[in-house]
Amino acid sequence: MKKIADIISEELEKAFEESGYEAKFGKVTLSNRPDLCEYQCNGAMAAAKAYKKAPIMIAGDVVEKLQNSRAISDVEAVNPGFINIKLSEQFVADYLNEMSEEEHLGLEQKAEPKTIVIDYGGANVAKPLHVGHLRTAIIGESVKRIARFMGDKVIGDVHLGDWGYQMGLIITELKKRKPELPYFDEEFAGEYPEEAPFTIDELEEIYPTASAYAKEHDDYKEEALQATYLLQNGHKGYTAIWKHIMRVSVADLKKNYANLNVDFDLWKGESDAQPYIPEMVEYLKKENYARYDDGALVIDVKEETDTKEIPPCMILKSDGASLYGTTDLATLIEREKLYNPDEVIYVVDKRQELHFVQVFRSARKTHIVKEDTKLTFIGFGTMNGKDGKPFKTREGGVMRLENLIGDIEERMYGKIMENRAIEEEEARKIAKIVGLSAIKYGDLSNQASKDYVFDIDRFTSFEGNTGPYILYTIVRIKSILAKYAETKTSPIRAVVKKAVSDSEKALMLEITKFNSVIENAYEEKAPHKICAYVYELANAFNRFYHETKILAEENEERQKSFISMLLLTKEIFEACIDMLGFEAPERM
Ligand code: ARG
């Protein structure tokens, strides 16, 4: 469906033309003074310069031509030359009826869908998920769902950190603890055990222990680096251990991401880039894209217009080991080959921006990606505690994601049980759903690039700009619809009639903004715009609800119209929160 602003713009453009001015001045936008009008056109001001005429005269000419418009009920020229517009109630109601009938609630699907690979999550195998991994999961999932709603083909890849030094550390520590294992016997020729030599809990203890030990002991660190190198070059026993680590750790990660309602199409990782690395290195050398610097192989990426120093992208360390940039470049080779994407989006902490500048420039310069493959970095800010410092546990340690989610659920559970007769089991279920909305909305309602304060008290509140408030509003609509359905046998979808009150019209106007909001959120990869919209929609609905008797309305046609509008409102809410990555319970 055409967006309202475009429909009204066309009318204004025609009116400008009929008055003897160029059509281009007729652009209409949402009003920034909702107390005065709903849409506005400032074109008369610009036209005044072109035609050397007072803007108010031009506005007056245009307004005269719009008197018989079907879509506009009220149009006024006000000093110094604004054109203030109110939409006709019937036009708005018709628009709602069309939205109800259209697929995707009237949002036009992209004519040429893109193939997008989105790299988010980025968990590191064998290390517990901590809050640092929360933002990428939440934002990435939402960006993915928005693009899918627009019709793009989107492939989400978790891109695990599964190939670096941490693997060497674990192998080294394991060897120290259990040297008798066959993985460490170079002569061993049999089948390695199927069972992993550790549990997930042991694994999570091994990594930090080894990491701390290596910092104090150089020979141990050397051994871990050597183990990393051997693993990357196909050592049999180490590869078998690595597979155990992967199986145990990935099963645990899957459970954690499922709890967050985050899911990936691809469970690939840095290790999947390995097969492409030797050939890539050969190519980079042969084409003279890379050079040796102090024994290390690097690609120069600085450009003349740089205002700060951009160091070369490191491809191989002097000991031959590959690095973070190496796997990211080789992963791009794989992505081009397997998925031929129009765009690759990375949702990563903004402190990694320099790394991605290096990788993107290297990929372009070396033609690892096609000329027109878009590479996008969505860098997000830090999640801080109330003290303004990165979020920590009460004891000051790194907060595990599971614990954070558990805390929020517990908090939600307490609130739901307060003064309410509800079964414990149901309350637990609802607490999980509402708790997730608190976390995700709390995050997504901020512009991604900004740091924000993770304020549990505020995020879990049922009032204000929060996830629970949005869900509460949806549940309220569901409950009205359910009550209505109990008393009526006829289908509840009917025709929406023109608004009879201010609050009804205000709600209708919010509903009509859906397509333009989603398009804009898509173009700017900005889930926070959807949050801002659902908040406005919730406020508009609640105002209407408080001022209107819906279930007690005696005029049956009127009531049917209200109910149909509620149905549409609910569908819009549900589409929006689905794009944000959470859902609403039946009651709360
Ligand atoms: N594993 C990395 C980390 O925890 C994030 C990976 C981001 N994606 C990428 N393609 N580099 O910092």
Side-chain angles (χ1 to χ4, degrees):
M1 276 173 83
K2 252 189 210 162
K3 287 171 279 183
I4 297 243
D6 292 343
I7 299 176
I8 308 299
S9 290
E10 278 171 23
E11 298 226 0
L12 269 282
E13 283 158 8
K14 212 169 107 226
F16 268 90
E17 229 168 12
E18 285 173 2
S19 316
Y21 310 107
E22 259 188 276
K24 67 168 188 202
F25 295 112
K27 191 131 192 62
V28 168
T29 57
L30 214 56
S31 162
N32 52 20
R33 286 288 304 275
D35 52 325
L36 297 179
C37 61
E38 295 156 2
Y39 284 82
Q40 67 184 47
C41 170
N42 302 344
M45 251 77 76
K49 291 199 188 81
Y51 294 96
K52 310 220 178 336
K53 218 171 167 182
I56 191 73
M57 304 272 293
I58 298 176
D61 292 345
V62 172
V63 162
E64 213 169 285
K65 297 280 185 297
L66 288 166
Q67 293 310 315
N68 296 321
S69 156
R70 181 183 67 88
I72 298 170
S73 67
D74 201 3
V75 54
E76 240 188 329
V78 294
N79 273 320
F82 297 113
I83 301 173
N84 288 352
I85 300 161
K86 283 193 177 146
L87 304 185
S88 114
E89 278 74 11
Q90 189 57 54
F91 168 76
V92 175
D94 289 344
Y95 198 86
L96 260 57
N97 287 316
E98 208 181 323
M99 286 178 75
S100 300
E101 274 163 27
E102 292 271 327
E103 257 180 85
H104 304 285
L105 300 158
L107 183 88
E108 263 170 48
Q109 295 283 287
K110 303 245 318 271
E112 284 176 39
K114 291 201 283 186
T115 299
I116 300 174
V117 172
I118 171 162
D119 177 317
Y120 69 110
N124 297 316
V125 169
K127 300 193 206 174
L129 272 181
H130 58 81
V131 295
H133 288 109
L134 185 62
R135 297 210 72 191
T136 167
I138 292 177
I139 298 165
E141 182 71 17
S142 181
V143 170
K144 178 185 83 178
R145 290 174 181 221
I146 295 168
R148 274 199 187 144
F149 197 83
M150 291 291 294
D152 283 338
K153 180 177 173 231
V154 194
I155 305 162
D157 181 4
V158 65
H159 198 77
L160 298 171
D162 64 354
W163 206 229
Y165 174 52
Q166 91 251 37
M167 294 296 174
L169 281 170
I170 294 168
I171 293 169
T172 304
E173 181 62 21
L174 201 64
K175 188 171 177 183
K176 187 169 141 198
R177 293 185 191 185
K178 302 181 181 170
E180 71 285 0
L181 288 173
Y183 313 98
F184 305 116
D185 175 2
E186 300 297 333
E187 319 284 75
F188 185 77
E191 295 265 325
Y192 292 117
E194 255 170 54
E195 190 83 6
F198 40 70
T199 64
I200 181 70
D201 293 329
E202 283 164 346
L203 195 55
E204 287 182 356
E205 175 272 317
I206 292 178
Y207 169 73
T209 309
S211 163
Y213 194 81
K215 283 190 188 124
E216 305 288 318
H217 301 84
D218 282 345
D219 48 341
Y220 184 92
K221 183 177 168 187
E222 254 333 295
E223 208 183 319
L225 285 169
Q226 176 66 9
T228 310
Y229 178 84
L230 288 174
L231 170 68
Q232 292 182 352
N233 287 282
H235 185 284
K236 239 176 63 200
Y238 293 0
T239 303
I241 297 178
W242 176 81
K243 283 189 178 149
H244 286 309
I245 300 175
M246 290 299 283
R247 259 196 304 273
V248 169
S249 187
V250 168
D252 185 61
L253 285 172
K254 285 196 170 163
K255 197 183 73 201
N256 274 293
Y257 281 121
N259 269 334
L260 276 176
N261 213 354
V262 166
D263 80 320
F264 299 96
D265 306 289
L266 303 176
W267 279 83
K268 295 200 168 236
E270 293 170 0
S271 64
D272 290 282
Q274 183 60 38
Y276 298 89
I277 291 175
E279 208 179 307
M280 177 176 88
V281 167
E282 274 321 299
Y283 165 76
L284 294 176
K285 287 202 265 193
K286 195 176 112 240
E287 300 290 328
N288 275 327
Y289 289 131
R291 66 176 171 90
Y292 278 101
D293 182 32
D294 232 350
L297 189 68
V298 303
I299 301 177
D300 287 313
V301 291
K302 64 169 190 267
E303 288 170 7
E304 257 168 44
T305 49
D306 289 344
T307 49
K308 60 171 194 256
E309 172 85 19
I310 309 286
C313 184
M314 292 256 276
I315 302 299
L316 292 180
K317 288 202 287 190
S318 46
D319 65 4
S322 52
L323 298 106
Y324 194 32
T326 325
T327 51
D328 265 327
L329 264 187
T331 301
L332 274 171
I333 297 182
E334 181 183 54
R335 287 177 178 159
E336 284 283 338
K337 181 171 152 205
L338 300 184
Y339 315 111
N340 190 22
D342 300 294
E343 182 172 9
V344 184
I345 301 173
Y346 297 80
V347 185
V348 186
D349 192 312
K350 71 178 175 199
R351 285 169 292 192
Q352 292 192 26
E353 183 164 11
L354 176 62
H355 166 76
F356 284 97
V357 170
Q358 293 170 315
V359 169
F360 291 179
R361 285 187 183 181
S362 299
R364 295 231 168 276
K365 177 174 167 178
T366 62
H367 306 286
I368 277 175
V369 294
K370 297 184 301 293
E371 194 108 27
D372 54 359
T373 306
K374 203 170 155 198
L375 299 173
T376 305
F377 174 66
I378 301 181
F380 53 81
T382 307
M383 177 174 141
N384 288 324
K386 273 189 178 169
D387 57 0
K389 303 212 183 84
F391 195 87
K392 292 264 154 63
T393 59
R394 222 167 293 151
E395 294 73 37
V398 178
M399 177 68 121
R400 293 180 63 135
L401 197 49
E402 286 172 84
N403 299 344
L404 177 82
I405 296 173
D407 284 358
I408 300 249
E409 275 177 29
E410 210 44 53
R411 184 83 71 106
M412 257 9 283
Y413 175 74
K415 283 193 183 217
I416 289 163
M417 290 301 272
E418 257 170 43
N419 335 311
R420 241 167 300 193
I422 185 163
E423 292 288 329
E424 181 179 334
E425 196 187 334
E426 194 190 353
R428 289 267 170 221
K429 248 197 221 146
I430 298 173
K432 198 170 145 95
I433 298 176
V434 183
L436 192 59
S437 82
I439 298 177
K440 289 197 166 184
Y441 190 93
D443 188 305
L444 292 171
S445 52
N446 303 284
Q447 199 178 317
S449 60
K450 300 222 165 98
D451 297 349
Y452 78 102
V453 173
F454 193 88
D455 181 343
I456 299 189
D457 294 327
R458 189 166 75 75
F459 290 0
T460 55
S461 167
F462 283 45
E463 279 149 44
N465 191 6
T466 70
Y469 168 67
I470 304 299
L471 295 192
Y472 196 78
T473 306
I474 300 174
V475 166
R476 174 173 272 165
I477 298 176
K478 285 188 181 183
S479 125
I480 300 170
L481 290 172
K483 283 202 190 108
Y484 178 82
E486 271 168 29
T487 60
K488 309 282 154 163
T489 46
S490 58
I492 62 174
R493 173 146 269 154
V495 172
V496 177
K497 294 183 174 313
K498 64 184 193 183
V500 289
S501 70
D502 279 353
S503 64
E504 188 184 10
K505 186 176 186 193
L507 172 58
M508 288 190 176
L509 284 169
E510 281 305 323
I511 294 174
T512 62
K513 290 177 194 163
F514 176 73
N515 52 6
S516 92
V517 168
I518 303 302
E519 261 185 47
N520 183 245
Y522 168 77
E523 275 154 20
E524 300 189 7
K525 300 186 171 70
H528 72 277
K529 302 224 162 163
I530 299 183
C531 292
Y533 174 63
V534 288
Y535 183 53
E536 290 302 322
L537 186 63
N539 288 338
F541 172 76
N542 285 316
R543 190 179 138 218
F544 166 75
Y545 170 81
H546 288 299
E547 291 180 6
T548 315
K549 289 195 176 64
I550 301 171
L551 290 169
E553 171 62 53
E554 279 168 13
N555 180 329
E556 207 168 312
E557 290 305 304
R558 228 347 354 105
Q559 189 180 45
K560 276 190 183 162
S561 169
F562 288 158
I563 293 294
S564 303
M565 180 172 64
L566 259 57
L567 210 54
L568 181 58
T569 310
K570 176 176 94 87
E571 286 166 355
I572 290 189
F573 269 123
E574 287 174 338
C576 288
I577 64 171
D578 186 60
M579 282 183 260
L580 297 174
F582 56 90
E583 55 189 20
E586 286 313 305
R587 60 188 197 124
M588 63 191 267

